[in-house]
Structure formats: C-alpha cells, structure tokens
Amino acid sequence: MNYLAHLFLSPDDPELLLGSLIADFTRGRLETLARDWSPGVMRGIVLHRQVDRFTDDHPRVIRARRRIAAPYRRYSGIILDILFDHFLSRYWAEFTRRDRDEFIRDVYRLLEQRREQLPARLHALVPRMRREDWLGSYRELEVVGLVFERMATRLRQPNELGGALVEVRRHYPELAEDFRRFFPELIAFVQRQQEQTDRQ
C-alpha cells in the first residue's frame, strides 16, 4: 500500500493519520519508536505495519504480483504499491461516501499544521507532496508512469522500473479486478484490528 491507501484505511483521528504516514519514514522496533511518538501516532504506525503484512501475504496480491512479467517482476511490490493508490482513486466511491478531494485537502491541511512534528525527511517532502498533489494525481495512469520513471532513478542498480507502465497496461483489467476484490477484505481486516485495539 502507498500513502493514499494507508491514510484512507486509518481511523479518522489526526494522530492515527499522522502515524500511518510517519511509519514510512521510521525504522526500528516499536518499543524504541514509542519513546519519540504519542500513543495515537504509535497506533497509526502499528496499523500501517499490520496493513503491509496483511497485504504482502494476501493471495490476491500474490496473484497480482505474478501477473507482472520479467524484467519487471522483481519490482512488482513497488509497482503494486503505486498502482493500488491509482485504483483506490479510480474506484473511491465503491469504498466510501466521503468525497475524495475533500479527504485529500484535509490530509494536506493536517500535514501543514503538524509539519514541525514530522520526521525530517517527511517534513522536507510536505511542500512538494502538496504542490505536486501526490495523493490525488495518481488517479491518472500517465502520472503513475512518471512515478515509475522517477523511482527508477533512485534505485542503485540499473533497472527496468521506468518502463513498467507498459506491463501495467498489458494486465490493467486483471490488476484492477485483483484490487477491487482484495481491498474490501483489507478494509474488514483493519476494522477488526481497531475493534481489538479498542477492547484492550
């Protein structure tokens, strides 16, 4: 899952929303991280890790990865992370009644308000994230292709990731169906996790 999906899955609480993003910018054991973050942010970080684990192990996601042919398959995790944000934007109304653009504006507003509390790397990214509309622009498949190209330049080894949009287009209907069948199960999983946490 990428940024938009993690934010979407997070309960509507500023601390948990921040935690769901901060998780991508922190490493280490939860016990160590808990020294630096509030209980609410920590719940968001924990939920983010649970979502990633559930996603990586899900048969539908494994099937989607197998659709990606060489030489792109080794980057299938990156490809699907980005692509799932695209599908979430495209099929947003299937999963919620909340307006997508309003949701994204609220997240950007929260990031600006709490920017000084963010990890340094995320703190530095917020203006660019908002200016380039990272949360909303992935709805356009051409933007997804540009993201693949940009990410390819960050990898240390020569790679084919920049051309992955060709492979995505080849399997687009099947990958979309994989997402639409998988995502409701992920939503249900998150709800169960939150109910369990609330009972503790």
Side-chain angles (χ1 to χ4, degrees), residues 100-169:
R100 186 192 74 112
D101 294 340
E102 178 187 9
F103 175 82
I104 290 171
R105 282 195 302 270
D106 288 347
V107 170
Y108 288 144
R109 191 176 302 116
L110 175 65
L111 289 174
E112 287 291 352
Q113 290 170 350
R114 306 284 289 273
R115 190 175 167 206
E116 296 307 316
Q117 302 169 27
L118 301 177
R121 196 156 58 94
L122 179 55
H123 177 279
L125 277 177
V126 167
R128 183 179 172 194
M129 184 182 289
R130 189 170 190 172
R131 184 174 64 251
E132 298 177 5
D133 190 20
W134 287 12
L135 300 180
S137 63
Y138 288 13
R139 191 178 196 284
E140 305 304 321
L141 197 56
E142 291 73 18
V143 173
V144 171
L146 293 174
V147 173
F148 291 155
E149 291 174 11
R150 189 168 63 223
M151 295 187 79
T153 65
R154 295 189 200 144
L155 299 177
R156 294 178 182 174
Q157 300 295 327
N159 64 84
E160 302 292 335
L161 179 59
L165 188 60
V166 172
E167 185 68 5
V168 166
R169 288 188 188 280

Side-chain angles (χ1 to χ4, degrees), residues 7 23 35 40 44-46 62 74-75 85 92 95 100 107-108 130 153 173 175 178 184 187 191 193:
L7 289 160
R35 299 172 192 160
I45 291 172
V46 169
I62 293 170
R74 66 180 298 188
Y75 308 107
D85 264 15
W92 184 271
F95 308 115
R100 186 192 74 112
V107 170
Y108 288 144
R130 189 170 190 172
T153 65
L175 291 167
D178 289 333
I187 291 172
Q191 290 172 343
Q193 295 303 116

Side-chain angles (χ1 to χ4, degrees), residues 39-108:
V41 168
M42 284 306 301
R43 281 183 64 189
I45 291 172
V46 169
L47 180 60
H48 180 115
R49 293 186 179 187
Q50 291 170 333
V51 165
D52 281 349
R53 196 174 310 117
F54 181 87
T55 300
D56 290 344
D57 294 340
H58 196 281
R60 274 278 169 188
V61 177
I62 293 170
R63 183 181 308 173
R65 283 196 184 126
R66 288 177 181 156
R67 297 190 196 281
I68 309 296
Y72 308 107
R73 183 172 291 170
R74 66 180 298 188
Y75 308 107
S76 60
I78 297 171
I79 292 167
L80 291 183
D81 274 355
I82 303 300
L83 192 59
F84 281 3
D85 264 15
H86 164 75
F87 288 138
L88 176 55
S89 269
R90 183 172 176 195
Y91 300 112
W92 184 271
E94 293 184 13
F95 308 115
T96 182
R97 294 180 180 176
R98 184 164 186 185
D99 181 76
R100 186 192 74 112
D101 294 340
E102 178 187 9
F103 175 82
I104 290 171
R105 282 195 302 270
D106 288 347
V107 170
Y108 288 144

